Amino acid sequence: MDTQGRRILLGRVHGAFGVRGELKLESFTDPERAIFRYQPWILRDAQGRERELAGARGREGGKGLVATLPGIEDRDAAEAMRGTEVWVPRSALPPPAPGEYYWVDLEGLRVANVEGVDFGTVSHLFSTGANDVLVAQGDRERMIPFVTPDYVVSVDFEAGLVTVDWDPEF
């Protein structure tokens, strides 16, 4: 599987915290503090400009994480970071546990049902809170609950195929 160059969105800066350059940071990792384990970060601002940064530190705040970044030393500099996304190369993350998947690794795989009907490829996934949903884009878009083994029967990275138990008419 080619994960070269692929990136994972791990968090987003929501603005300044206090007056000394600390930032309010939303983390998509579980647990939240794990975001600091995966560095260097690739910071992408709202205009799409990117820069690499190492040495971020953080702590738990009342409503999420509070981060300190090298070079951000006052409230104005911290506020200017609002909306910045925190990305890391896919290669920076540990291998997933058996039966678990990084969404980015599933994107682009072919999707077919158990009868062999081609549903196209995995466009993306999203979470509903109750479960994750796989979006297959082919002759049309299909949203399939990512529930194993009920609907997602198997994921075969070598074959590049996700097999689903799903009615092609649905």
Side-chain angles (χ1 to χ4, degrees):
M1 166 184 35
D2 174 31
T3 56
Q4 191 78 19
R6 288 187 174 210
R7 295 177 176 176
I8 308 268
L9 177 64
L10 288 191
R12 185 172 290 114
V13 175
H14 283 292
F17 180 88
V19 296
R20 288 181 299 212
E22 291 181 307
L23 306 163
K24 290 184 273 188
L25 179 66
E26 177 183 15
S27 171
F28 305 136
T29 62
D30 183 22
E32 284 186 336
R33 287 185 55 92
I35 192 170
F36 297 106
R37 285 187 216 147
Y38 311 114
Q39 294 192 46
W41 290 350
I42 299 158
L43 299 177
R44 180 183 299 154
D45 69 17
Q47 289 74 40
R49 295 181 302 248
E50 294 183 352
R51 68 183 172 107
E52 193 171 288
L53 177 119
R57 297 187 327 271
R59 60 183 168 81
E60 305 267 341
K63 295 179 181 175
L65 296 177
V66 176
T68 305
L69 306 184
I72 306 297
E73 294 170 12
D74 62 37
R75 184 172 182 84
D76 291 340
E79 195 54 44
M81 297 286 295
R82 181 186 294 272
T84 296
E85 295 173 336
V86 177
W87 294 79
V88 297
R90 164 64 182 87
S91 58
L93 299 177
E100 293 184 355
Y101 309 96
Y102 288 114
W103 289 0
V104 70
D105 294 344
L106 298 171
E107 292 170 1
L109 295 182
R110 287 183 309 113
V111 181
N113 75 358
V114 290
E115 288 84 33
V117 177
D118 183 5
F119 287 174
T121 60
V122 177
S123 163
H124 62 284
L125 292 97
F126 64 91
S127 181
T128 64
N131 55 266
D132 297 333
V133 176
L134 179 146
V135 180
Q137 189 67 51
D139 59 330
R140 64 185 180 84
E141 186 177 83
R142 290 181 175 86
M143 294 186 213
I144 303 164
F146 200 97
V147 177
T148 58
D150 301 352
Y151 304 120
V152 175
V153 177
S154 67
V155 175
D156 184 340
F157 287 109
E158 287 189 18
L161 178 66
V162 177
T163 303
V164 296
D165 189 354
W166 198 253
D167 184 337
E169 301 306 313
F170 194 72

